[in-house]
Amino acid sequence: MYCLDREQWQNYVGKFAVEHFLPVSSHPEQQTDYDNLVYACVSCNLTKAQGHVPDPTQVLLAGTVVVHDDGRMEARTKEAAKLIDKLLLNSEECRAFRRRWISIIRLAQEHSRELYRELMGYPADLPDLSRLRPPGGNSRPQGIEQSHGARRQRGELPEIY
Ligand SMILES: [Zn+2]
């Protein structure tokens, strides 16, 4: 969500987790609020910790940030710049990681459509949300039909994202 890392690029479980956008320590009432949950890599989650940052679902969008070939993220708004700065998204490590993956994806795109789909597609094991029972019940049962798993079952999920 923050650094542009993807599950499909990792080889171990636990690299990604559901993060509380507003920390539970200061907003315990929002611990299970769907709008307060962000899927993020552990590194971004640890960097953010208990801090308050701009909402990535609002400020890290195609029109507000550009990712250059050298891996650098360029903010087009003050809020995007603030988020990039606070989460160290332009650290040498983050830029090198993105630069490497941009090159790998370009090679896959040119030489292996199958590998390209694997790297840029959704995970094979998307959860079936209709089978899950969150604590306190599902406050948005209508969202199940819009989930990626349900869209894949209907053949409506794009091949890549
Ligand atoms: Zn991250």
Side-chain angles (χ1 to χ4, degrees):
M1 177 54 82
Y2 297 108
C3 65
L4 307 182
D5 194 356
R6 291 183 177 213
E7 265 188 315
Q8 293 294 84
W9 302 347
Q10 304 304 322
N11 63 352
Y12 61 94
V13 174
K15 167 76 178 179
F16 285 81
V18 175
E19 188 252 333
H20 293 91
F21 178 66
L22 295 174
V24 174
S25 58
S26 56
H27 297 79
E29 75 287 355
Q30 295 197 27
Q31 184 169 12
T32 58
D33 183 344
Y34 185 81
D35 289 329
N36 193 39
L37 304 176
V38 175
Y39 200 54
C41 80
V42 170
S43 177
C44 286
N45 198 356
L46 289 172
T47 304
K48 180 179 167 287
Q50 307 302 311
H52 291 273
V53 298
D55 183 348
T57 66
Q58 302 299 311
V59 306
L60 282 188
L61 304 173
T64 63
V65 69
V66 174
V67 180
H68 294 280
D69 287 351
D70 64 2
R72 185 174 48 91
M73 293 175 83
E74 177 188 340
R76 297 280 167 92
T77 67
K78 284 184 179 177
E79 289 295 286
K82 185 176 174 183
L83 182 57
I84 290 168
D85 186 52
K86 281 199 152 196
L87 291 187
L88 311 174
L89 298 178
N90 270 334
S91 69
E92 178 51 40
E93 294 81 12
C94 280
R95 283 184 287 138
F97 180 83
R98 283 190 295 268
R99 183 173 56 243
R100 187 177 318 119
W101 274 103
I102 288 168
S103 297
I104 291 168
I105 289 162
R106 285 221 173 99
L107 284 170
Q109 193 172 22
E110 289 174 25
H111 300 288
S112 171
R113 182 72 195 162
E114 184 180 342
L115 178 60
Y116 178 72
R117 276 196 307 264
E118 184 180 328
L119 294 174
M120 296 303 291
Y122 293 91
D125 60 347
L126 290 173
D128 179 355
L129 299 185
S130 67
R131 300 170 64 111
L132 301 178
R133 300 287 175 263
N138 186 348
S139 62
R140 293 190 186 172
Q142 70 278 11
I144 291 173
E145 286 304 305
Q146 298 163 8
S147 71
H148 291 1
R151 291 173 60 204
R152 176 177 279 163
Q153 284 179 352
R154 293 193 305 267
E156 297 172 359
L157 194 65
E159 202 170 57
I160 61 170
Y161 72 100

